[in-house]
Amino acid sequence: MAARAIWKGELQFGKHNVGVKFYSAIEDRSVHFHLLHEKDGAPVEQHIVRKDTGKDVPKEQMRKAFAVGPNTAVILQPEELAELIPPESREIELLRFVPASAIDDQWYERPYYLGPDDGHADDYFAFGEALARQEAIGIARWVMRKKRYLGAVSAVDGYLVMTTLRRAEQVVSFSGVEPAKSATPQANELKLAEQLVKSIEADFDPQQWHNEYRERLYKLIEAKARGEKIKPVRVPKKRAEGSLADSLKASLAAAREKKVA
């Protein structure tokens, strides 16, 4: 089945526009449960209630408040919040281009594939080729579903990808995390660490790593559906910690044994 676009807009740089369609690049694979009553299995649901009386509060009677002191809060009315919502637009404004190496991992949030809109394929692939050749990333902003986004558009294998970016106030500085000079690794520890890195070098293959909790959960669900029981997984005991050099030697030996096996 063909992928379905979730939104469409126009990349704008200067007087030139490139129509694009947004496709989600990730999928939520979390396990979702229904809530049931313990006694008879009847479905239950959550309600918003008053803390003092426990009575239900209709949605139209709810108000949002922001605490400004121990016993003081500012109450915001729905119409006041509605005025803050940015106007709908299909424009994706490209603000500037930066080197691909200029953005570190902590700034990236959620990726979207961009596909060419009808009649814009030539411009789309030309733009992607230009980004790839210059090893550049475009910084863009747009409004989608009543929310303003900041993002980075890049070229991946000839196609465009838009990844939303976190704002400056969301990214925590590395200040205070730097190791002290006294913690500089010894020459033998550094050599062992380099050997360990080389011993398990390989291509990145995401298919090798599974969500073990999700797999065990589905096995439990399937077994219970068949009326069976499964044995609980025993967690291995944690080994006593030694020096960094000892730990690296043990890791290196384990990596070699794994390769031989």
Side-chain angles (χ1 to χ4, degrees):
M1 185 175 68
R4 179 180 295 180
I6 62 172
W7 192 76
K8 62 168 60 179
E10 291 187 348
L11 284 168
Q12 297 188 339
F13 43 103
K15 296 181 179 180
H16 201 68
N17 297 346
V18 179
V20 293
K21 297 178 180 179
F22 276 59
Y23 301 85
S24 181
I26 57 177
E27 183 180 8
D28 179 21
R29 300 303 300 274
S30 302
V31 180
H32 299 280
F33 296 101
H34 295 282
L35 297 177
L36 305 177
H37 196 275
E38 180 185 10
K39 289 184 178 180
D40 56 8
V44 299
E45 59 184 14
Q46 296 176 327
H47 285 252
I48 302 296
V49 300
R50 289 178 59 108
K51 287 186 176 182
D52 54 352
T53 65
K55 293 183 178 180
D56 285 4
V57 179
K59 186 175 181 180
E60 62 272 12
Q61 295 181 13
M62 299 179 194
R63 294 295 181 269
K64 293 182 178 180
F66 185 85
V68 293
N71 301 305
T72 309
V74 174
I75 300 176
L76 302 172
Q77 300 300 325
E79 59 273 16
E80 293 174 328
L81 293 172
E83 291 179 357
L84 303 179
I85 297 175
E88 289 290 338
S89 173
R90 294 292 177 183
E91 298 178 358
I92 306 170
E93 183 184 6
L94 279 162
L95 306 171
R96 65 188 60 189
F97 294 95
V98 301
S101 59
I103 305 177
D104 296 326
D105 294 344
Q106 67 267 33
W107 293 98
Y108 290 107
E109 194 166 26
R110 183 183 179 91
Y112 295 91
Y113 294 130
L114 298 185
D117 202 359
D118 298 336
H120 289 261
D122 291 343
D123 291 337
Y124 170 93
F125 288 109
F127 181 51
E129 180 66 20
L131 283 179
R133 288 186 179 185
Q134 298 183 35
E135 297 183 351
I137 288 177
I139 306 300
R141 63 181 176 187
W142 72 100
V143 175
M144 181 172 64
R145 296 174 178 172
K146 300 182 178 181
K147 183 179 178 181
R148 185 174 293 281
Y149 290 89
L150 184 71
V153 57
S154 58
V156 179
D157 297 329
Y159 296 92
L160 298 179
V161 173
M162 177 74 83
T163 307
T164 58
L165 296 174
R166 295 182 174 92
R167 306 288 179 156
E169 62 270 19
Q170 294 177 282
V171 177
V172 179
S173 170
F174 200 73
S175 175
V177 185
E178 301 94 337
K181 289 186 177 180
S182 59
T184 302
Q186 300 296 319
N188 63 325
E189 294 175 340
L190 183 57
K191 184 177 180 180
L192 285 170
E194 290 174 346
Q195 291 176 350
L196 176 60
V197 171
K198 290 180 180 179
S199 70
I200 54 177
E201 282 182 343
D203 294 333
F204 174 60
D205 181 9
Q207 298 297 333
Q208 292 184 351
W209 297 283
H210 302 268
N211 186 332
E212 297 177 357
Y213 170 77
R214 184 173 179 272
E215 291 177 350
R216 293 199 301 268
L217 180 58
Y218 268 114
K219 285 182 180 179
L220 173 62
I221 293 171
E222 291 168 359
K224 295 200 71 172
R226 296 190 300 265
E228 302 173 357
K229 291 184 178 180
I230 63 174
K231 295 181 179 179
V233 178
R234 292 185 177 180
V235 180
K237 293 183 179 179
K238 190 175 181 180
R239 295 180 180 178
E241 294 183 359
S243 66
L244 177 60
D246 292 338
S247 299
L248 290 172
K249 288 178 181 178
S251 298
L252 188 58
R256 287 171 178 166
E257 288 179 5
K258 191 173 182 180
K259 277 195 172 183
V260 172

